[in-house]
Amino acid sequence: MSVGRAGRAGKPEHEGAARWVPSQPTVASLKAAVQQCRGCELYHDTTQAVMGEGPEGARLMLLGEQPGDREDREGLPFVGPAGRLLDEALAAAGLDDVPAYRTNVVKHFRHERGAGKRIHKSPSRWHVAACEPWLLGELEAVRPTGVLVLGATAGQAVLGPSFRVGASRGTRMDWPRDRFGLAEPPTWLVATTHPSAVLRSRQRDADFAALVADLAVVRDLLR
């Protein structure tokens, strides 16, 4: 199957990432292998793939949408403005000292160009599906107890297209054990808004406080 060609009804065809994912993944082997991924067309116009960062055995996984412009340039997740705000929220919730693995459901930066800069463009569900084998590899390598889902794209990747942040945020939910077939799946997940949404908000203080309140639920679950 050719990557990036139009399929039926104009839908892009994707080979998917499966054949690039190590059969017995570790954090180190995933990071080394991801740069060779040609599972969708997004690799064409990015600096690099951005694999997750954090220790194997971390009890908590933070799961966002995709790398942004700075993440793409530096090769690390959550190092841009949204990542800094997330760090502030984690500290305010008492989670800054908790070892966590940080990653995104899509590993390449989808964007469009305008006014001399690269502008974020949300990944399609086809990109999320093509990249899913990398996330499964990370879940197998890290084996977190719980997952903090940041935003609608990440939530729909885990829970399906009916997921809505507003209806589910800040509550403990069981991990969908039958969805991915993991040998040792997480026990629970908590959803919240993506920190980039807080940055764009006109009521930033209130939305930041709501994010911290959701993170406090995670703190209590990890005790």
Side-chain angles (χ1 to χ4, degrees):
M1 181 181 293
S2 296
V3 173
R5 295 187 309 175
R8 295 180 182 177
K11 295 175 182 177
E13 292 184 3
H14 296 302
E15 179 178 354
R19 75 181 178 96
W20 286 277
V21 178
S23 58
Q24 296 182 321
T26 64
V27 169
S29 68
L30 289 166
K31 186 169 290 190
V34 73
Q35 301 306 331
Q36 305 305 315
C37 185
R38 303 294 182 264
C40 77
E41 85 288 352
L42 292 182
Y43 76 93
H44 282 296
D45 195 29
T46 57
T47 306
Q48 59 196 313
V50 182
M51 185 52 66
E53 184 79 10
E56 290 186 11
R59 295 178 63 205
L60 178 63
M61 177 178 283
L62 309 181
L63 182 61
E65 179 192 78
Q66 68 171 7
D69 180 79
R70 184 167 173 184
E71 287 81 4
D72 172 71
R73 298 180 191 280
E74 296 189 19
L76 294 169
F78 295 99
V79 293
R84 291 194 295 273
L85 186 140
L86 177 60
D87 287 339
E88 293 174 12
L90 289 167
L95 283 168
D96 49 328
D97 292 333
V98 175
Y101 183 88
R102 303 181 179 207
T103 193
N104 291 290
V105 295
V106 172
K107 309 306 184 192
H108 284 102
F109 175 36
R110 191 185 190 205
H111 61 277
E112 55 191 9
R113 295 187 179 272
K117 62 181 180 180
R118 302 188 300 177
I119 301 170
H120 169 276
K121 187 175 182 180
S122 293
S124 73
R125 61 191 179 101
W126 307 104
H127 298 122
V128 174
C131 220
E132 182 179 284
W134 290 115
L135 176 59
L136 297 185
E138 290 176 299
L139 286 164
E140 184 177 342
V142 179
R143 301 188 178 186
T145 300
V147 177
L148 175 64
V149 174
L150 300 164
T153 298
Q156 290 172 5
V158 175
L159 296 168
S162 64
F163 170 82
R164 297 293 182 271
V165 174
S168 304
R169 65 179 297 173
T171 61
R172 180 200 182 281
M173 291 179 279
D174 290 335
W175 180 265
R177 300 179 68 89
D178 297 333
R179 183 171 172 83
F180 299 114
L182 296 167
E184 295 186 33
T187 301
W188 52 263
L189 65 87
V190 172
T192 190
T193 189
H194 196 283
S196 62
V198 179
L199 287 175
R200 298 190 301 267
S201 175
R202 294 182 178 180
Q203 48 183 18
R204 185 182 296 188
D205 289 347
D207 287 343
F208 181 81
L211 173 60
V212 172
D214 293 343
L215 296 180
V217 175
V218 173
R219 178 199 64 213
D220 291 343
L221 287 168
L222 290 171
R223 284 179 174 169

